[in-house]
Amino acid sequence: MKRVVLLGPPGVGKGTQAELISEKYNMLHISTGDIFRANIKEGTPLGKTAKEYMEKGLLVPDELVCDLVEDRLTWDDCKDGYLLDGFPRTVYQAERFDSWLKSRGEDLSVVLDIQASDELLIGRATGRRVCPACGKTYHIVSNPPKTEGICDNCGTALIQRADDAEETVKKRLKVYQDQTSPLIEYYTGTGKIAEVDGAPGLMEVFEQICALLGE
Ligand code: AMP
């Protein structure tokens, strides 16, 4: 039973690696970004609030995200472990999450820290395309769909997320540097962190992750 956190800047391929890990290890993939996007699509009050921040490339307020995740992780489908993609995103979130886990007698298995240069990340994010229906992600160069612009899974036309536009990406990288990268030090202190080089192709990155997670 594993509880895994995927850490890394926007565009590093967290979502794609999460899908691969989830499939191979049969782990439940929980993405806070996906939860927010689903709420925006459904027009819920949570979605309306999250949208204001996401459109500007800013983080959604900590309390809101922590309440949401803590609620989601008490669902029955999480009792055999999970893979968190996009949470925690600030030291506050990590500290509150650690206390929450501790109060339940639980612990994280590992924090996978995927790293790459800003230049590479900007190319990755601006080339990313997403299926608005099923959520599957692609990249126009490194992971294209079989038919250009169309989802392999469900045949829906792919879109570029508003927060993947170049200016927003640069802003998100700055937000990552300022607010999320201090988490690396935080988790180094807990001895849970494992470094992954996010620069090579997606299967090579996945191999590094498999070596860390074991069979
Ligand atoms: P992602 O799909 O993980 O890149 O998330 C997209 C956007 O959702 C982020 O740029 C934030 O605005 C918001 N978001 C997702 N997860 C979090 C989090 N843990 N804390 C704050 N904001 C988040």
Side-chain angles (χ1 to χ4, degrees), residues 32-174:
T32 41
D34 284 352
I35 295 175
F36 290 135
R37 282 182 286 277
N39 276 273
I40 290 172
K41 209 171 149 190
E42 288 160 23
T44 67
L46 173 69
K48 286 195 180 107
T49 307
K51 192 176 177 195
E52 288 172 27
Y53 296 91
M54 288 169 73
E55 277 182 347
K56 296 181 191 134
L58 299 173
L59 294 185
V60 175
D62 283 337
E63 299 290 339
L64 195 76
V65 185
C66 288
D67 288 348
L68 173 88
V69 171
E70 287 170 11
D71 173 68
R72 179 65 187 86
L73 297 185
T74 52
W75 294 16
D76 215 38
D77 58 357
C78 293
K79 68 180 188 315
D80 295 328
Y82 43 78
L83 173 66
L84 285 174
D85 160 15
F87 178 90
R89 216 51 166 240
T90 63
V91 172
Y92 175 91
Q93 291 178 17
E95 284 175 347
R96 183 170 147 178
F97 183 42
D98 271 352
S99 322
W100 183 81
L101 285 168
K102 208 167 161 195
S103 72
R104 295 164 56 88
E106 295 172 353
D107 202 1
L108 288 176
S109 312
V110 67
V111 176
L112 297 171
D113 175 33
I114 314 179
Q115 287 298 336
S117 71
D118 278 8
E119 194 190 354
L120 191 136
L121 296 170
I122 291 165
R124 287 244 179 109
T126 54
R128 181 157 52 195
R129 298 292 180 270
V130 186
C131 175
C134 74
K136 191 168 167 60
T137 56
Y138 300 87
H139 189 279
I140 51 174
V141 179
S142 61
N143 182 27
K146 290 192 185 84
T147 310
E148 195 184 323
I150 302 293
C151 180
D152 293 346
N153 262 0
C154 65
T156 307
L158 301 178
I159 56 160
Q160 182 180 43
R161 277 166 29 184
D163 56 0
D164 281 338
E166 185 158 346
E167 280 318 302
T168 315
V169 171
K170 286 186 176 156
K171 189 152 178 198
R172 291 171 75 211
L173 280 171
K174 168 109 178 57

